[in-house]
Amino acid sequence: MKNWLPRLVAKAPFTVHTKLIGAFFTIAALLIIFGIVVIQVLSGINRRSEELSQLRRKVAAFRRLQHDTTAQLYSVTSALLSPEEQTLESSLRQLNEFRYDLDRLQFVTRDEVELFNKIRKEHEQLVQMIIKVVELTRGHEFTKANELRLTKTVPLADILERLTNEMVNRAEADMEAKVDESNRAYMTSRWVVIGFAVGSIGLAILLGYAVSSSLMGPVKLMDNQLRQIASGDFSKRVEVPNRDELGTLADNLNRMNNKLRDLYQQLDAASRHKSDFLANMSHELRTPLNAIIGYSEMLMEEAEDRDRKGSIPDLQKIRASGKHLLELINAILDISKIEAGKVELFPEAFNVKALIEEVSGTVQPLIEKNSNIIAINCDDDLGDMYADITKVRQILFNLLSNACKFTEHGTITLDAVHDYSERTSRLLVSVIDTGIGMTEEQMGKLFQPFSQADIQTARKFGGTGLGLAITRQFCEMMGGDIKVRSERGRGTAFTVRLPMAAPPPRADAISSATSGDSSKSV
Amino acid sequence: MKNKKADGWSRREFLGGLALTGAAAVVGWRPDLVTAAVEPPPETTRLRFHKGKPACWAPIYVAEPLLREEGFTDVQYVFGPQTEVGKMFSEGKFDLNVGFSAKTMYNLEHQPYPLKFLSGLHVGCYALIGSARTRSVRDLKGRTVWAGAIENDGPHLFFSTIVAYVGLDPRTDVNYVWVDKDEAIRLFRDGKIDAFMSFPPGAHELRHNGLGHLLIDTNVDKPWSQYFCCMVAGHSDFIRKNPIATRRALRAILKANDIVARDPETAARILIERKVIKESEYVHILPELKHIPYNMWRDYNPEDTIRFYALRMREIGTIKSNPQQFIDQHADWRFMNELKKEFGITW
């Protein structure tokens, strides 16, 4: 919106609809004016052609008159030299014919009237003089007739000839002037038409540019603003000069931005408070729980030593409950740490196959509990991995323990391969069970904290609903991801992809983890 | 000052001028005392003419004593070659000028300068002399001619209009030799050129020596004899600033025209005194001055001359302007119209 014209159009206090209609009408008006100009030019050319044609006819008629004058004067002069009555009569008749020629002339313009009258006057004088010469000739006064002819008739004839010549010259000069005028008019018309066409096209383009820019500029700005809002940046405002619907829209967008910013700030504060609270509470709870577990173990040892075996089962229940509670608190502590952005990665090199064997050994009691069997397929070239071993271990443990929990009398398969297909080599671990499986809807909220497939599942199988959320967040922190495929009643397959060499932790992974967005993982 | 000294009015010439005025009275012209008494004096007493070679310009030299009577005490004839006339005119070195109408129009077209046609001077004067091998103008197709020493000078322009009038293309149908007049006469005598475009005293000189015959005599042959050859023109600024002086000068020149017509011998003598021609040329100039119809200027419309030559030159592509443009931009007939009654002009 740097240009003044789009800004001017934008500032115009009309609706977008009115502006668009106005632009179309302007272009239509330009076309109409251009058409009128072209018609005017064509009319001018046509008019000048007609005038030229008329002048040509005029020149031709004047030349005819000039020719007739010369011929008749020659004829009369010849007749006076050989005075026969028949010839004299003929000459006088021809002179009278000339009068009719003059009368028939239709092309005399106002400025030529004076000259034309002079020709008529000179002709009359010539006729009178010739009549006198003829009379003298008829009276056989040849000397007087010849003298009169030489002194009066011949000069008069010369004048008449000159005057008719002048008439022709005038007409020809007029025609030449008209030709020049026509040429000049053509050149002018050509430049007018070209200029008008170029001007109209330029104006139409300019108008189109101004209108489209005044519309699209704010739209782009608002689109950009929406992207900023979507990425959580509420710091900017969209400023548009429009005084139309787009201006209103921009104002509303700014208002929405402010509202969202306030809400976000409130939510952020609440989330921080929640995390802080959970972290503090978990810490505060773990201390007495550890004491309970420790004392229960001490009491169990004492009971065995003093042979009070009757109290041992109760003590075992106290210790198991304490441990369960501790695990639960640890999970809450983990998720709250993640949400608070306090989890750090400590990468180190370790052997993947050894880790998988260790974890599978750990979950062996859980496998046996539901009469499942486990199949582990590891590539021979898995080799070493450079990552946070604690997090990887927890990921594998969570997936395997989940599979054990939801599978009875089934098979749990762990496949581990080294994937070289992408630029960064990755570890692909799939944990596939033949358990109860999930619907699409259940999969949709699978990775959200404190969420399980459904309430019945939670009641039946227990658990905090934090395991998979933590798993996914750990994966993303390490530059990997997790995907799930499942079919109700047929089983579930989780696939984790992790880079063999851990990159630095991703900030957006942390933020997206805290926002609970599950779209990437499902 | 040099010009004034060279062309100034000596006592001898002054007395000669007075004698001429007396002669004018003898041949019938009397100063219009009434007009002279009523008209205010000229705005300037200085008048500068272009002094050229053509002998047909005799009236401007004959007019000198008449100009003095009109109130001009400082009459100068400033020499300048024909090719420099436009430039000198632009520089304001002349007030009045006489020149071939077509040539002037050509100059105005190609090198515009502030000039206004004021009146016609005389018709005719040019002649086209053919060799024994040519009977008519049309016979000149493919032949070699002399039409002046410089292309597009007066003789060449006149010749071009003459051949174009009979349907020849002056640019392609005729071969030209561009040599000076004496060399051209020698070539003509040797039979190496077939036509000679002559201006005074060329035609008489050739025929006096028994060379060639007249193909066109513009003094009598139509249409050339119906239009002015030389016309009087003035510097636009001079005319604008000095309308009375212009009218008085024009009156004197036109009266001189009549004097030349009636007393060509005196006019020829004045040309010798003014060193326009040599004494030896008197014998050839006199018949030419007698032949040129100086007394016909009253009957010819100068505007039609401009039309005629402009049309002819435009036909052959020598100029692009149309006649009306020349008339509108370079003609001022006010003074002629004012003098019409006084002189009994018929057009």
Side-chain angles (χ1 to χ4, degrees):
Chain A
M1 298 296 284
K2 285 175 186 170
N3 295 333
W4 62 271
L5 191 60
R7 191 173 284 273
L8 192 71
V9 174
K11 279 183 179 174
F14 303 112
T15 63
V16 172
H17 181 255
T18 311
K19 284 176 187 174
L20 286 173
I21 292 286
F24 288 135
F25 270 115
T26 307
I27 291 166
L30 283 173
L31 281 172
I32 291 166
I33 293 168
F34 180 66
I36 290 169
V37 168
V38 169
I39 288 168
Q40 289 275 348
V41 166
L42 289 174
S43 303
I45 290 170
N46 187 48
R47 180 176 46 76
R48 282 189 291 278
S49 308
E50 283 177 4
E51 285 171 358
L52 264 178
S53 175
Q54 202 172 349
L55 277 169
R56 279 199 190 95
R57 285 201 298 274
K58 180 176 169 177
V59 170
F62 284 1
R63 277 192 177 145
R64 178 65 191 258
L65 184 72
Q66 181 192 34
H67 178 263
D68 288 355
T69 315
T70 316
Q72 284 167 19
L73 293 174
Y74 175 75
S75 166
V76 169
T77 310
S78 305
L80 292 175
L81 288 171
S82 54
E84 292 172 12
E85 184 54 34
Q86 197 180 344
T87 322
L88 292 172
E89 280 291 329
S90 169
S91 298
L92 288 172
R93 278 203 304 278
Q94 277 193 25
L95 280 173
N96 284 328
E97 278 296 320
F98 186 74
R99 283 180 177 151
Y100 300 133
D101 282 351
L102 286 177
D103 291 340
R104 280 207 303 272
L105 219 54
Q106 297 166 356
F107 302 103
V108 181
T109 56
R110 196 178 299 167
D111 60 329
E112 289 164 339
V113 167
E114 192 186 346
L115 181 63
F116 191 69
N117 289 337
K118 205 181 276 183
I119 290 173
R120 203 183 276 279
K121 187 180 153 195
E122 294 292 337
H123 181 258
E124 284 303 322
Q125 284 183 19
L126 180 68
V127 170
Q128 295 306 317
M129 207 53 66
I130 286 172
I131 288 169
K132 276 186 188 170
V133 173
V134 168
E135 283 170 359
L136 288 169
T137 307
R138 280 173 177 161
H140 299 286
E141 293 182 80
F142 296 117
T143 312
K144 277 187 180 174
N146 198 36
E147 192 183 338
L148 192 63
R149 187 180 69 82
L150 288 172
T151 56
K152 297 287 183 186
T153 314
V154 171
L156 275 171
D158 278 348
I159 291 170
L160 191 60
E161 194 179 343
R162 260 201 325 273
L163 291 173
T164 51
N165 286 350
E166 190 177 336
M167 207 160 199
V168 172
N169 288 339
R170 276 191 185 204
E172 284 185 348
D174 285 351
M175 196 170 77
E176 294 298 323
K178 188 58 75 179
V179 167
D180 283 356
E181 187 194 326
S182 184
N183 287 339
R184 280 195 303 274
Y186 165 71
M187 292 300 289
T188 309
S189 304
R190 195 176 69 170
W191 287 118
V192 165
V193 169
I194 290 172
F196 214 92
V198 171
S200 300
I201 291 167
L203 203 58
I205 290 171
L206 200 64
L207 194 64
Y209 166 73
V211 172
S212 62
S213 297
S214 73
L215 300 182
M216 289 314 296
V219 169
K220 280 181 185 169
L221 285 175
M222 286 189 276
D223 177 58
N224 198 35
Q225 175 70 359
L226 284 169
R227 282 173 195 275
Q228 301 266 7
I229 291 170
S231 68
D233 182 1
F234 304 99
S235 61
K236 290 172 185 165
R237 284 174 61 82
V238 59
E239 296 294 341
V240 297
N242 292 52
R243 293 168 67 185
D244 49 25
E245 291 95 326
L246 290 171
T248 312
L249 191 61
D251 290 343
N252 288 337
L253 184 61
N254 284 331
R255 270 198 293 278
M256 185 186 82
N257 179 63
N258 294 343
K259 283 273 181 196
L260 284 174
R261 185 187 59 210
D262 294 345
L263 282 172
Y264 181 80
Q265 284 169 350
Q266 287 170 15
L267 280 173
D268 193 42
S271 178
R272 256 197 329 273
H273 291 152
K274 182 197 80 178
S275 297
D276 289 348
F277 172 76
L278 285 175
N280 291 334
M281 282 305 292
S282 299
H283 181 73
E284 293 301 321
L285 285 169
R286 270 201 303 185
T287 307
L289 268 176
N290 278 327
I292 289 167
I293 292 165
Y295 277 109
S296 63
E297 282 176 349
M298 282 171 62
L299 286 172
M300 279 170 67
E301 284 172 6
E302 277 184 17
E304 277 185 359
D305 289 345
R306 292 178 186 182
D307 202 19
R308 291 177 190 166
K309 291 184 180 173
S311 58
I312 287 176
D314 294 334
L315 289 169
Q316 280 177 333
K317 284 175 186 171
I318 291 167
R319 194 188 68 156
S321 297
K323 277 196 168 181
H324 180 71
L325 198 57
L326 186 62
E327 280 170 16
L328 188 66
I329 288 166
N330 279 342
I332 290 170
L333 187 62
D334 284 345
I335 199 80
S336 61
K337 272 184 178 176
I338 291 167
E339 288 181 353
K342 290 177 180 170
V343 175
E344 289 180 42
L345 293 174
F346 299 100
E348 59 184 294
F350 60 88
N351 187 276
V352 177
K353 199 169 182 179
L355 179 69
I356 290 170
E357 282 171 359
E358 179 204 325
V359 175
S360 64
T362 309
V363 295
Q364 195 61 36
L366 294 174
I367 292 165
E368 288 169 0
K369 186 181 174 186
N370 282 350
S371 307
N372 293 319
I373 54 170
I374 185 165
I376 296 171
N377 307 310
C378 290
D379 266 4
D380 292 336
D381 63 342
L382 279 178
D384 286 350
M385 183 178 182
Y386 182 75
D388 187 330
I389 189 169
T390 312
K391 308 282 184 304
V392 178
R393 184 186 288 122
Q394 192 166 348
I395 290 167
L396 293 175
F397 182 82
N398 284 351
L399 292 177
L400 283 171
S401 60
N402 249 16
C404 293
K405 197 195 290 181
F406 297 109
T407 308
E408 286 180 359
H409 307 289
T411 304
I412 294 154
T413 308
L414 188 150
D415 294 333
V417 293
H418 193 157
D419 180 16
Y420 298 99
S421 62
E422 295 178 36
R423 197 165 53 183
T424 312
S425 64
R426 286 171 181 270
L427 171 67
L428 255 67
V429 179
S430 300
V431 176
I432 305 155
D433 65 55
T434 54
I436 57 173
M438 287 176 286
T439 61
E440 286 286 327
E441 188 189 356
Q442 287 171 332
M443 281 194 287
K445 51 187 176 181
L446 196 60
F447 293 98
Q448 290 174 14
F450 305 104
S451 169
Q452 284 192 325
D454 54 40
I455 295 168
Q456 280 95 2
T457 308
R459 280 180 187 160
K460 186 178 178 184
F461 297 100
T464 58
L466 291 172
L468 282 174
I470 291 168
T471 300
R472 193 198 72 162
Q473 284 156 4
F474 279 173
C475 285
E476 290 179 353
M477 280 175 72
M478 287 190 284
D481 60 20
I482 180 167
K483 289 180 178 174
V484 61
R485 285 181 293 113
S486 184
E487 198 175 333
R488 185 75 176 168
R490 298 283 299 272
T492 303
F494 287 93
T495 303
V496 170
R497 289 195 310 165
L498 293 171
M500 292 297 281
R506 281 162 44 192
D508 64 327
I510 296 169
S511 67
S512 72
T514 53
S515 68
D517 180 11
S518 64
S519 60
K520 288 181 185 172
S521 52
V522 179
Chain B
M1 288 299 287
K2 192 181 175 185
N3 282 335
K4 193 176 177 184
K5 193 177 177 184
D7 302 324
W9 191 250
S10 68
R11 186 165 175 267
R12 178 193 173 94
E13 287 166 337
F14 181 70
L15 293 172
L18 284 182
L20 183 67
T21 315
V26 170
V27 296
W29 173 74
R30 291 174 189 283
D32 191 339
L33 296 173
V34 176
T35 308
V38 171
E39 205 167 42
E43 299 87 344
T44 174
T45 54
R46 187 185 72 167
L47 197 60
R48 295 167 304 167
F49 284 98
H50 169 224
K51 180 180 179 181
K53 282 286 179 190
C56 61
W57 296 358
I60 61 168
Y61 305 107
V62 172
E64 185 162 354
L66 305 175
L67 288 166
R68 290 181 180 282
E69 281 197 7
E70 292 284 354
F72 297 99
T73 56
D74 181 12
V75 181
Q76 298 176 24
Y77 295 91
V78 184
F79 178 75
Q82 280 300 109
T83 50
E84 295 292 311
V85 170
K87 185 168 172 274
M88 292 179 77
F89 221 95
S90 298
E91 290 167 358
K93 292 187 175 168
F94 315 134
D95 302 318
L96 294 177
N97 174 41
V98 169
F100 173 38
S101 49
K103 170 64 181 166
T104 308
M105 281 190 271
Y106 177 86
N107 285 346
L108 289 171
E109 169 95 0
H110 293 94
Q111 179 194 348
Y113 50 95
L115 174 139
K116 297 267 188 198
F117 288 110
L118 298 174
S119 80
L121 190 71
H122 64 83
V123 299
C125 95
Y126 273 92
L128 181 61
I129 314 291
S131 69
R133 292 188 296 276
T134 53
R135 310 285 297 170
S136 69
V137 176
R138 278 198 70 83
D139 290 345
L140 292 175
K141 185 167 185 177
R143 298 287 173 83
T144 304
V145 301
W146 183 79
I150 304 168
E151 195 174 358
N152 291 321
D153 203 1
H156 179 227
L157 291 171
F158 212 144
F159 176 79
S160 297
T161 59
I162 287 171
V163 293
Y165 202 72
V166 296
L168 299 181
D169 186 337
R171 289 164 298 189
T172 56
D173 289 343
V174 185
N175 304 314
Y176 297 93
V177 285
W178 305 111
V179 294
D180 62 32
K181 188 177 157 189
D182 294 338
E183 175 67 5
I185 290 172
R186 192 183 63 73
L187 291 171
F188 192 67
R189 187 185 296 119
D190 295 347
K192 291 185 177 168
I193 56 177
D194 294 294
F196 187 99
M197 191 65 193
S198 159
F199 54 91
H204 188 266
E205 198 175 339
L206 280 173
R207 293 183 67 207
H208 184 73
N209 293 323
L211 292 172
H213 63 99
L214 272 171
L215 287 176
I216 295 283
D217 181 355
T218 62
N219 292 298
V220 289
D221 293 342
K222 291 170 186 170
W224 320 107
S225 63
Q226 294 176 324
Y227 301 99
F228 285 110
C229 169
C230 292
M231 293 178 75
V232 183
H235 195 288
S236 302
D237 290 345
F238 178 82
I239 294 166
R240 184 171 47 79
K241 290 176 188 166
N242 309 297
I244 299 165
T246 306
R247 186 168 58 242
R248 283 180 173 273
L250 193 60
R251 181 191 289 126
I253 293 165
L254 295 174
K255 283 174 180 174
N257 238 355
D258 290 340
I259 293 170
V260 176
R262 292 181 181 177
D263 189 2
E265 289 85 358
T266 308
R269 283 284 159 210
I270 289 174
L271 286 177
I272 293 166
E273 280 182 25
R274 304 302 309 172
K275 294 176 182 164
V276 179
I277 59 168
K278 295 172 194 163
E279 180 71 48
S280 59
E281 291 178 306
Y282 178 84
V283 65
H284 301 306
I285 283 294
L286 185 60
E288 298 262 20
L289 293 184
K290 284 180 177 175
H291 190 48
I292 294 170
Y294 282 106
N295 58 339
M296 296 291 283
W297 62 270
R298 286 178 178 77
D299 302 330
Y300 293 77
N301 184 348
E303 190 172 289
D304 206 39
T305 295
I306 292 176
R307 273 194 210 102
F308 177 77
Y309 280 114
L311 285 168
R312 301 289 83 78
M313 287 200 289
R314 197 172 142 103
E315 271 171 11
I316 57 177
T318 314
I319 60 169
K320 286 181 179 168
S321 302
N322 63 60
Q324 199 55 45
Q325 284 173 310
F326 281 111
I327 291 166
D328 291 343
Q329 293 167 24
H330 296 292
D332 190 344
W333 312 128
R334 275 180 301 158
F335 308 103
M336 278 299 282
N337 289 330
E338 286 166 8
L339 295 171
K340 260 184 175 179
K341 193 178 171 187
E342 185 180 337
F343 280 110
I345 294 170
T346 59
W347 50 270

